[in-house]
Amino acid sequence: DQQVKQNSPSLSVQEGRISILNCDYTNSMFDYFLWYKKYPAEGPTFLISISSIKDKNEDGRFTVFLNKSAKHLSLHIVPSQPGDSAVYFCAMSSNYKLTFGKGTLLTVNP
Amino acid sequence: DTAVSQTPKYLVTQMGNDKSIKCEQNLGHDTMYWYKQDSKKFLKIMFSYNNKELIINETVPNRFSPKSPDKAHLNLHINSLELGDSAVYFCASSPAGASGSSYEQYFGPGTRLTVT
């Protein structure tokens, strides 16, 4: 029973363009939403987050959008850079627990 | 200056053996976690400790036993290892206290366990 789904296993974009990563969830009890970035052989690194009471949070090139009615979370990266190439996980918090999606491999081509 | 460290990074062992993975964080966080990333790449929580007290214990075989000697350390001991235990195990910590949700968690580099 996957509560958090990242339906795109991979995404390829050109340098300078926008990258849009998506995540859908089913559990209405999630109250905080996060994106993590992971390079090979390293642990996930926190990127950006958003509270359930907001619908947008921006940090530099990264913007997270939350649509609670659609139970949909997205991450926009603009402009995309080759160094952004990594696996991106969405994660959702309820009490002390984070529930992760399966990840999307983003490749940014020079 | 490593924030969350794990040892060893790689662990290859035979079925039936007992092994431990160590985790230490120097962030001053109250809460620590163990996650398992299986072959399907899902990161799933196994355990969480807050100030040395177990607060999350997911459906994990009792061959897995976490031990927290102090709030900066959370070790994972696995008895009678099985082939299905092969995975990458991540330790994490967060500043979450006794109330409220866990927000940003900081992960260690992972320990790749291979059971043969």
Side-chain angles (χ1 to χ4, degrees):
Chain A
D1 179 27
Q2 282 180 249
Q3 297 185 61
V4 179
K5 291 185 181 179
Q6 290 180 258
N7 290 319
S8 298
S10 63
L11 174 67
S12 183
V13 300
Q14 285 299 119
E15 181 177 6
R17 307 294 288 267
I18 185 170
S19 296
I20 300 176
L21 299 133
N22 295 301
C23 199
D24 295 300
Y25 64 97
T26 57
N27 187 348
S28 300
M29 298 302 293
F30 291 134
D31 58 0
Y32 213 78
F33 304 83
L34 307 93
W35 283 96
Y36 281 82
K37 176 179 176 179
K38 185 181 180 304
Y39 292 117
E42 293 184 13
T45 303
F46 169 74
L47 196 56
I48 192 170
S49 62
I50 187 169
S51 164
S52 60
I53 61 173
K54 295 187 175 181
D55 55 20
K56 178 181 175 181
N57 186 27
E58 194 170 348
D59 184 2
R61 297 185 297 113
F62 303 91
T63 303
V64 56
F65 294 92
L66 176 63
N67 183 334
K68 285 188 69 178
S69 60
K71 295 191 173 68
H72 182 80
L73 182 76
S74 64
L75 174 68
H76 292 205
I77 307 173
V78 55
S80 301
Q81 299 173 354
D84 296 330
S85 297
V87 176
Y88 289 78
F89 291 94
C90 60
M92 307 192 175
S93 176
S94 178
N95 295 317
Y96 292 96
K97 290 172 55 175
L98 281 185
T99 303
F100 283 82
K102 199 172 177 179
T104 296
L105 174 63
L106 173 65
T107 303
V108 181
N109 301 304
Chain B
D1 219 18
T2 306
V4 182
S5 59
Q6 295 179 229
T7 53
K9 191 164 177 65
Y10 300 96
L11 183 54
V12 181
T13 188
Q14 290 185 326
M15 284 175 57
N17 286 347
D18 302 339
K19 290 293 179 185
S20 292
I21 307 172
K22 295 185 177 181
C23 178
E24 176 180 4
Q25 54 96 3
N26 62 8
L27 298 166
H29 289 166
D30 293 319
T31 309
M32 296 185 73
Y33 310 81
W34 276 110
Y35 286 86
K36 178 181 180 181
Q37 186 179 31
D38 58 24
S39 57
K40 294 182 180 177
K41 304 300 182 186
F42 278 107
L43 263 167
K44 292 184 180 177
I45 190 164
M46 300 172 68
F47 301 103
S48 176
Y49 271 74
N50 179 264
N51 278 320
K52 301 196 299 174
E53 181 183 345
L54 181 66
I55 55 172
I56 294 175
N57 186 351
E58 291 294 284
T59 310
V60 176
N62 57 16
R63 298 182 294 105
F64 290 78
S65 54
K67 286 188 172 49
S68 181
D70 54 61
K71 77 171 193 177
H73 295 84
L74 181 62
N75 303 323
L76 183 65
H77 189 76
I78 316 170
N79 290 327
S80 304
L81 278 154
E82 300 178 356
L83 292 176
D85 298 331
S86 295
V88 182
Y89 293 84
F90 289 98
C91 177
S93 72
S94 77
S99 61
S101 299
S102 62
Y103 297 145
E104 299 143 25
Q105 295 183 14
Y106 297 81
F107 283 79
T111 296
R112 181 173 291 277
L113 171 64
T114 303
V115 183
T116 62

